[in-house]
Amino acid sequence: MANYYDIDDIIMEDELIWVVFQKAANGVGLLDPGAESNTVEQGAKVELPFWLAQELHLRQVVTINVPQCFNQKTRKEIQADAACVDLKNRCSYFYELGCKTAPLVGDRTIGSFLLYAFKSRYKDVLSKAHTAAFTVAPKFLSILTKEETMYESAQSSMATFKKWRMGGPRLQRAAVLGKKRKSTD
Amino acid sequence: MYGRRASQLVKEFSAGEKGQLSAYNSDMFDQVIRECNAHHLELQNLMRKIQDEGLDIQTTRNADHFGAVIHHLSLVRNKRCLMAYVYNRAELIQNLRWKAGPVLPPEIQEKLSYSEEEYFRNHSAALEAYMSELELDLTVDMVPPKDPYIQVRVLDDIGEVLLSDQSANLARHSMHFLKRSDAEQFISQGLMEELMG
């Protein structure tokens, strides 16, 4: 399990996914906007945050539907040109949610789909980070999920590399060495 | 939706600038606590209902049981959000002691809750006790200096000060060549700036 105090993990688990109740549950009518009484009926289709859906799935109360962001349409788009798909808009925790839902929904294709999406986007993010001017970056950044961090570190590594290549002598003298010793009297 | 407020609290924390403390949201915090109490009440009601029907609370798996489970899970979730909020803030507050010194500037101080202020004071006292035991100020030179002396410009009238190797009149806008360890405390209080170049 991820770190209990991890902020990102907590926010990620707040993503909504569709589930179908296999058992009725009393006293929680709030979950189902269509419920007439304070009960969620068996067979009701409800949108729940991931933290609740996961635990209820373990207790076999609900079955989880594959989240929207892994549907056929997205898959086709990713196959066409992974780097241009706006993943942030679909789900800002695309990979994390995928890793966590894959074992629950029993869809074996999600894993390889995530890997494919990441591999092709990774290549593109790196090359854009190395070459793109700062002015075009914001537009590109807006379609990235947490891949942002990757983009930023790629950019800073490139900046450091350039500095190393251009900048002065390979070995820098410590500033202390250059100075004449002051007489103490 | 259950747990919505708690996650708003966490999101608010993460939306803030990295390493910067935002104001303690006691209003939202209390709302989440109230939500927890409501869950607890519902949970007890459902449990009582199961018992009243003469069913075994350990093995019953009816609609009441699953309702209770949902309330229980929401409680646990809310707890996790609140804990993470407090814990991550506490880490920032610990860092403040190293960066800003034992006295917090008022604009940061007002962002802390009462118990966070107390935490800061106690952490600061513990650190000071340790440092006096070692007879070493651990908070200076967090980055190893290239040169023990630095050029500084004084931003505010400090007056005549006895430093470790000299005594200097630190008047506003005057420039000095000081030992880094002496200058560091003034810089962290915002009374001096280092001249780069």
Side-chain angles (χ1 to χ4, degrees):
Chain A
M1 187 194 160
N3 182 1
Y4 183 76
Y5 298 109
D6 186 10
I7 295 278
D8 274 327
D9 193 55
I10 292 179
I11 298 178
M12 181 252 122
E13 293 201 340
D14 213 40
E15 289 292 334
L16 295 174
I17 51 179
W18 286 98
V19 302
V20 178
F21 271 80
Q22 302 299 314
K23 309 262 169 60
N26 277 344
V28 290
L30 188 68
L31 294 179
D32 184 6
E36 280 160 15
S37 59
N38 197 16
T39 305
V40 179
E41 300 293 343
Q42 185 177 350
K45 198 172 173 220
V46 178
E47 204 172 21
L48 291 186
F50 180 80
W51 55 266
L52 190 54
Q54 181 190 29
E55 292 290 334
L56 290 179
H57 180 81
L58 288 179
R59 293 171 172 77
Q60 292 166 353
V61 184
V62 300
T63 49
I64 295 180
N65 292 355
V66 179
Q68 295 267 305
C69 53
F70 306 115
N71 61 12
Q72 285 306 321
K73 189 162 168 275
T74 316
R75 290 185 196 214
K76 288 240 168 67
E77 282 178 36
I78 294 263
Q79 269 162 17
D81 189 356
C84 294
V85 181
D86 186 350
L87 280 189
K88 194 175 197 166
N89 190 20
R90 277 160 225 262
C91 170
S92 30
Y93 292 88
F94 182 77
Y95 301 108
E96 292 88 341
L97 186 68
C99 291
K100 290 207 177 189
T101 33
L104 302 181
V105 295
D107 185 342
R108 288 172 181 279
T109 55
I110 289 185
S112 50
F113 165 61
L114 284 181
L115 187 63
Y116 174 79
F118 182 71
K119 271 202 294 203
S120 28
R121 282 170 75 88
Y122 178 71
K123 200 173 73 185
D124 216 71
V125 167
L126 273 199
S127 62
K128 280 206 176 118
H130 286 164
T131 53
F134 280 96
T135 42
V136 281
K139 197 175 144 224
F140 177 62
L141 274 179
S142 68
I143 67 165
L144 295 180
T145 61
K146 283 276 153 187
E147 296 151 334
E148 259 169 44
T149 4
M150 201 162 78
Y151 181 84
E152 276 153 22
S153 39
Q155 218 167 30
S156 79
S157 87
M158 197 56 183
T160 333
F161 170 71
K162 275 189 184 146
K163 202 172 143 201
W164 172 80
R165 205 176 51 178
M166 303 296 173
R170 289 288 145 87
L171 282 173
Q172 283 194 348
R173 265 155 87 94
V176 203
L177 294 177
K179 244 178 251 120
K180 291 244 171 64
R181 206 172 273 223
K182 263 190 255 170
S183 57
T184 40
D185 46 29
Chain B
M1 181 59 73
Y2 299 140
R4 172 72 41 94
R5 270 197 203 95
S7 66
Q8 269 171 9
L9 193 67
V10 175
K11 273 182 194 151
E12 184 192 287
F13 175 83
S14 89
E17 221 174 300
K18 269 233 147 29
Q20 296 284 327
L21 208 58
S22 51
Y24 180 79
N25 196 340
S26 68
D27 207 32
M28 186 88 96
F29 203 90
D30 290 345
Q31 280 179 23
V32 178
I33 300 266
R34 271 201 294 280
E35 210 178 287
C36 287
N37 287 336
H39 279 308
H40 186 220
L41 218 67
E42 292 258 10
L43 183 66
Q44 277 179 328
N45 282 342
L46 287 165
M47 303 249 273
R48 204 172 302 126
K49 200 170 149 204
I50 297 176
Q51 274 168 335
D52 288 348
E53 286 167 5
L55 298 166
D56 182 13
I57 198 131
Q58 300 282 339
T59 54
T60 310
R61 294 285 177 271
N62 61 6
D64 291 327
H65 168 80
F66 293 121
V69 165
I70 291 176
H71 282 296
H72 166 73
L73 290 173
S74 308
L75 256 175
V76 171
R77 165 77 180 180
N78 278 346
K79 178 183 163 190
R80 185 178 176 201
C81 292
L82 294 181
M83 295 281 273
Y85 186 68
V86 172
Y87 177 87
N88 284 290
R89 283 179 66 89
E91 290 226 307
L92 285 181
I93 291 167
Q94 273 190 27
N95 282 336
L96 277 178
R97 172 60 185 86
W98 292 88
K99 278 191 233 141
V103 184
L104 283 180
E107 67 267 20
I108 295 185
Q109 183 115 29
E110 68 192 16
K111 289 180 177 166
L112 302 184
S113 73
Y114 176 72
S115 38
E116 283 174 334
E117 275 174 41
E118 199 174 271
Y119 178 74
F120 180 83
R121 269 200 302 279
N122 290 344
H123 180 68
S124 178
L127 190 64
E128 255 154 49
Y130 180 63
M131 289 195 302
S132 70
E133 205 176 298
L134 288 181
E135 292 179 7
L136 184 68
D137 190 352
L138 295 172
T139 56
V140 296
D141 287 342
M142 298 295 273
V143 181
K146 285 218 169 91
D147 190 339
Y149 285 86
I150 56 169
Q151 190 95 36
V152 293
R153 199 163 69 92
V154 183
L155 298 173
D156 207 351
D157 270 315
I158 302 172
E160 192 77 24
V161 176
L162 195 62
L163 303 166
S164 57
D165 58 342
Q166 57 180 321
S167 79
N169 182 21
L170 304 176
R172 189 199 282 252
H173 299 318
S174 60
M175 294 206 249
H176 300 268
F177 198 56
L178 299 182
K179 246 191 166 161
R180 181 180 284 272
S181 51
D182 292 329
E184 201 118 305
Q185 48 166 326
F186 293 111
I187 293 176
S188 68
Q189 288 168 26
L191 300 173
M192 276 183 187
E193 64 179 6
E194 187 176 354
L195 286 178
M196 301 294 180

